[in-house]
Amino acid sequence: MSGGKPPKDGKKVKYVDELARLQFELIKLQEWVRVNGLKVCVLFEGRDAAGKGGVIKRITESLNPRVCRIVALGTPTERERGQWYFQRYVAQLPAKGEIVLFDRSWYNRAGVERVMGFCTDDEYQEFLRACPAFEEMLVRSGVILIKYWFSVSDEEQEKRFTERMHNPIKRWKLSPMDLESRKHWVEYSKAKDVMLEHTDKKLTPWYIVDADDKKKARLNCIHHLLQQIPYQDIAPVELELPPRQSDDGYKRPKKSKQNWVPDAY
């Protein structure tokens, strides 16, 4: 099974309905991963406002956080800067029966660190040399590694940035570094091209998602993800609700003695 039956060619689907169908498939995949002890690691990379967070949210919202978790590491600490570069990411890799989604990953070195000068040229060159070997080691150790690059056009990114600037609900998504990245659009493009040239390998390929249409990008990415891991629908264990324990003289405390949240609705 790989994502259920996709819609017929040329047939339009309702976004909400198709998303729900794919999320049901994700639940089946999650159970297959848990029962069979698989180790799944999915990387989401791309420009700011490309839609990485949106698809991660749709993947995880119906899944068990004990099985599927998100890793979104912040700026490295002084101690982490003195470690082997991949060290803090290794600590977040999946154990058996886990799915880990990286909202940005070790590829920070090939992108923002390179463009903004947060790493030396030697560190950058070493990353390009070591990364394919590191990822091959992960795959050979049993990790299922899937890498997505969300591609968004200049015009669409500008549109999304403008919306975030004027929408109080989304304002938190826009950081000073996001705005700074607009000034270095071409440099980020060149860095991405070099990154793909060095790390798009047969064993660990990059999958590019056309992200100008957010909803289509979410559906396409989730559908593709489901196809990368052969799974079967495991019938859930039949449960029987036991009878409630008898009161045996228990008396509930008076509500007046407790701090209840007032009914505002």
Side-chain angles (χ1 to χ4, degrees):
M1 183 178 296
S2 58
K5 292 182 179 180
K8 295 180 180 179
D9 292 343
K11 181 179 179 181
K12 291 185 178 180
V13 296
K14 188 176 180 181
Y15 169 73
V16 175
D17 293 341
E18 184 64 9
L19 179 61
R21 184 188 74 81
L22 292 172
Q23 288 176 329
F24 273 115
E25 293 298 324
L26 285 169
I27 292 172
K28 298 175 187 177
L29 171 63
Q30 169 190 251
E31 189 64 6
W32 182 260
V33 168
R34 185 187 68 81
V35 170
N36 289 279
L38 303 182
K39 296 178 286 186
V40 180
C41 180
V42 189
L43 311 187
F44 294 87
E45 294 286 348
R47 293 185 186 273
D48 300 312
K52 302 179 296 296
V55 73
I56 290 173
K57 178 180 179 181
R58 272 69 184 184
I59 291 172
T60 58
E61 62 186 1
S62 59
L63 300 185
N64 183 348
R66 293 183 177 87
V67 177
C68 180
R69 58 185 171 88
I70 302 171
V71 174
L73 300 182
T75 304
T77 63
E78 194 62 36
R79 182 176 184 276
E80 288 172 334
R81 290 192 186 97
Q83 295 175 343
W84 174 49
Y85 175 71
F86 295 99
Q87 190 167 336
R88 71 178 187 141
Y89 297 103
V90 169
Q92 302 294 336
L93 290 172
K96 287 185 176 180
E98 285 188 339
I99 302 171
V100 175
L101 310 179
F102 278 85
D103 186 353
R104 296 200 181 280
S105 64
W106 46 86
Y107 281 98
N108 277 335
R109 174 136 296 177
V112 62
E113 290 191 19
R114 172 61 171 174
V115 174
M116 303 307 298
F118 297 152
C119 67
T120 66
D121 188 61
D122 287 345
E123 288 172 332
Y124 171 68
Q125 294 299 332
E126 173 59 19
F127 172 83
L128 295 178
R129 185 198 67 78
C131 186
F134 169 68
E135 293 180 349
E136 180 177 341
M137 179 177 63
L138 294 182
V139 172
R140 294 192 183 283
S141 71
V143 174
I144 299 172
L145 180 63
I146 304 167
K147 305 186 296 187
Y148 290 111
W149 176 270
F150 276 64
S151 177
V152 65
S153 67
D154 181 5
E155 296 79 13
E156 183 61 25
Q157 186 191 55
E158 181 178 359
K159 176 182 175 183
R160 294 177 188 180
F161 275 0
T162 302
E163 180 187 6
R164 290 180 179 184
M165 290 174 66
H166 297 97
N167 187 338
I169 296 177
K170 296 183 178 181
R171 180 65 181 82
W172 64 271
K173 293 183 177 182
L174 199 60
S175 70
M177 188 58 66
D178 294 339
L179 298 178
E180 190 67 23
S181 70
R182 286 287 296 173
K183 301 178 183 178
H184 302 273
W185 177 273
V186 176
E187 292 173 61
Y188 270 101
S189 296
K190 292 178 179 178
K192 180 258 296 180
D193 293 341
V194 174
M195 178 196 79
L196 292 178
E197 181 183 349
H198 284 80
T199 62
D200 184 15
K201 302 296 184 180
K202 185 176 181 180
L203 192 63
T204 57
W206 276 101
Y207 297 106
I208 313 300
V209 180
D210 184 347
D212 272 3
D213 185 315
K214 286 183 179 180
K215 291 183 177 179
K216 285 185 178 180
R218 293 166 188 166
L219 298 181
N220 287 331
C221 183
I222 296 173
H223 183 266
H224 184 271
L225 175 61
L226 289 165
Q227 293 179 313
Q228 303 313 300
I229 307 170
Y231 67 95
Q232 296 178 14
D233 186 4
I234 300 176
V237 177
E238 293 293 332
L239 301 176
E240 182 177 342
L241 189 65
R244 188 181 76 87
Q245 181 184 21
S246 59
D247 291 341
D248 291 332
Y250 168 77
K251 291 185 178 180
R252 186 175 181 177
K254 293 181 179 180
K255 287 187 176 182
S256 59
K257 294 183 178 181
Q258 298 173 330
N259 296 316
W260 284 70
V261 174
D263 290 332
Y265 301 94

